[in-house]
Amino acid sequence: MRTQVVIIGGGPSGLLLGQLLHSVGVEAVVLERKTRDYVLSRIRAGVLEQGMASLLKEAGVDARMRAEGLAHDGTLIAYDDTMFRVDFAKHTGQPVIVYGQTEVTRDLYDAREAAGAQTLFNVEDVVIDGADTDAVSVRFVVDGTEHQIECDFVAGCDGFHGVSRKTIPEDVRREYEKVYPFGWLGILSETPPVNHELIYANSPRGFALCSMRHANLSRYYVQCSMADTVSNWSDAQFWTELKRRLPAEVAEALITGPSIEKSIAPLRSFVTEPMRWGRLFLCGDAAHIVPPTGAKGLNTAASDVHYLFQGLKTWYADKDPDGLDRYSERALARVWKAERFSWWFSSLMHRFPDQSEFDLRMQRAELDFLRSNDAAQKAMAENYVGLAY
């Protein structure tokens, strides 16, 4: 087989890159190790920056997001039974859009199928050959049969555990990591959201988040120990604990119901450098991970896609290598800013097991400052809505 670009990973970043390339006449084959139904069953993020929304529009797959997505002009932050609002519209002139990652992925799959673009599922034993040469290819197995695709470039959109990052030699790549000493226990419930905007809560019992997917589908989280398990939490125990971490008026307004999904997610900050090795380019979780506080995971993957798409577009149009040569530099400059924001917001809102009384006072002072200072709110709003590409 022969194609121009092989995209490893059929999640939203790989599919978005494929659709953007299709829009300018560049052929790409997407390899996905699971089935389409499995990919669409994964519960993921739901807050889209304007940059991500613009990319979906450029790819021609934004119609349902525009019709069904919820525009949020701000967010609420609670602590010590106090709650204040950070106004995105006032400080940036732009909202974020609440639209589930599952729905983004579904729209991209539908568009790819409509375009007749090739996606291979149940792909195993992927090997990238010759990434540091002019003769790159990808070998893989489907249903027991080995295949090989020769290509110009490989886009590694296959996540933290994928083959792409590990293909870059250890003496070439450098990794930076911070593992947080807690996780998020999250549930999905078919109940109306407690508020029309997200609520981030810092309480003596730990962090909590009130989020949503649409008008009758809510997503709630509480900070928990990494030693905890889902089996330790009944629905009733979760709702009781969530209410304890929210301001009284929010807890009273909360409508509870059976969970339809429950899981614990670890929190980690991770970056690998560089994001390019020869003709192999890393995108999204293959290169970096952020804690979910502030919803930067999918959005940072989208910024990678932007830089890589621009580089590939100019290369195929004009044989201009500048965009590809500078891909890693440009992507990482924005990645580290997103990492900083996610680290800062996570540090502000969570309770850490080793926090001293001084640390707690500093956290409280930072929250007081954010509540009362317009410039601090503007800085947060600019980061939350999304820094420019």
Side-chain angles (χ1 to χ4, degrees), residues 130-197:
D132 59 338
T133 73
D134 291 336
V136 62
S137 64
V138 179
R139 289 181 287 123
F140 57 93
V141 174
V142 177
D143 296 330
T145 302
E146 185 170 302
H147 303 265
Q148 180 173 327
I149 307 180
E150 296 177 351
C151 56
D152 300 326
F153 303 102
V154 177
C157 305
D158 50 348
F160 181 79
H161 298 289
V163 68
S164 297
R165 185 182 76 258
K166 297 169 187 175
T167 298
I168 301 176
E170 290 185 3
D171 62 349
V172 173
R173 58 184 158 96
R174 183 170 182 182
E175 299 180 348
Y176 305 84
E177 184 176 39
K178 176 180 177 61
V179 177
Y180 296 81
F182 42 72
W184 280 13
L185 170 67
I187 72 165
L188 200 63
S189 64
E190 292 177 327
T191 55
V194 70
N195 191 280
H196 68 282
E197 293 178 337

Side-chain angles (χ1 to χ4, degrees), residues 117-135:
Q118 190 171 16
T119 305
L120 302 178
F121 295 98
N122 294 312
V123 172
E124 301 177 314
D125 301 329
V126 176
V127 178
I128 304 168
D129 292 319
D132 59 338
T133 73
D134 291 336

Side-chain angles (χ1 to χ4, degrees), residues 37-279:
D37 287 344
Y38 180 90
V39 175
L40 291 175
S41 72
R42 294 186 297 213
I43 304 298
R44 293 292 188 268
V47 177
L48 308 184
E49 296 176 353
Q50 283 299 313
M52 174 77 180
S54 296
L55 284 174
L56 291 170
K57 181 179 181 181
E58 188 175 358
V61 290
D62 66 326
R64 199 160 68 96
M65 177 196 70
R66 298 292 177 187
E68 300 177 14
L70 306 174
H72 280 198
D73 289 325
T75 195
L76 297 160
I77 296 177
Y79 70 106
D80 291 348
D81 223 28
T82 298
M83 191 159 65
F84 65 95
R85 183 171 184 266
V86 177
D87 191 328
F88 302 152
K90 170 186 171 182
H91 292 300
T92 72
Q94 295 181 318
V96 292
I97 299 173
V98 174
Y99 187 66
Q101 179 173 320
T102 300
E103 304 311 313
V104 171
T105 307
R106 190 186 312 278
D107 295 342
L108 287 164
Y109 270 134
D110 289 347
R112 188 163 182 81
E113 288 180 5
Q118 190 171 16
T119 305
L120 302 178
F121 295 98
N122 294 312
V123 172
E124 301 177 314
D125 301 329
V126 176
V127 178
I128 304 168
D129 292 319
D132 59 338
T133 73
D134 291 336
V136 62
S137 64
V138 179
R139 289 181 287 123
F140 57 93
V141 174
V142 177
D143 296 330
T145 302
E146 185 170 302
H147 303 265
Q148 180 173 327
I149 307 180
E150 296 177 351
C151 56
D152 300 326
F153 303 102
V154 177
C157 305
D158 50 348
F160 181 79
H161 298 289
V163 68
S164 297
R165 185 182 76 258
K166 297 169 187 175
T167 298
I168 301 176
E170 290 185 3
D171 62 349
V172 173
R173 58 184 158 96
R174 183 170 182 182
E175 299 180 348
Y176 305 84
E177 184 176 39
K178 176 180 177 61
V179 177
Y180 296 81
F182 42 72
W184 280 13
L185 170 67
I187 72 165
L188 200 63
S189 64
E190 292 177 327
T191 55
V194 70
N195 191 280
H196 68 282
E197 293 178 337
L198 272 64
I199 301 174
Y200 292 87
N202 174 318
S203 89
R205 299 183 66 88
F207 169 80
L209 172 61
C210 303
S211 182
M212 74 286 290
R213 292 296 176 265
H214 55 67
N216 199 48
L217 188 62
S218 297
R219 185 72 162 154
Y220 295 103
Y221 300 92
V222 294
Q223 176 184 344
C224 67
S225 165
M226 279 311 301
D228 215 337
T229 62
V230 169
S231 61
N232 290 338
W233 292 82
S234 67
D235 287 353
Q237 288 171 315
F238 178 89
W239 292 120
T240 298
E241 184 59 33
L242 177 64
K243 289 180 179 181
R244 288 173 175 170
R245 301 185 187 195
L246 299 173
E249 68 270 22
V250 177
E252 290 171 7
L254 185 68
I255 297 175
T256 65
S259 65
I260 58 175
E261 191 272 345
K262 190 183 297 177
S263 58
I264 293 177
L267 271 66
R268 165 191 294 168
S269 297
F270 174 86
V271 180
T272 190
E273 297 182 347
M275 289 173 59
R276 177 194 182 177
W277 185 57
R279 291 174 175 260

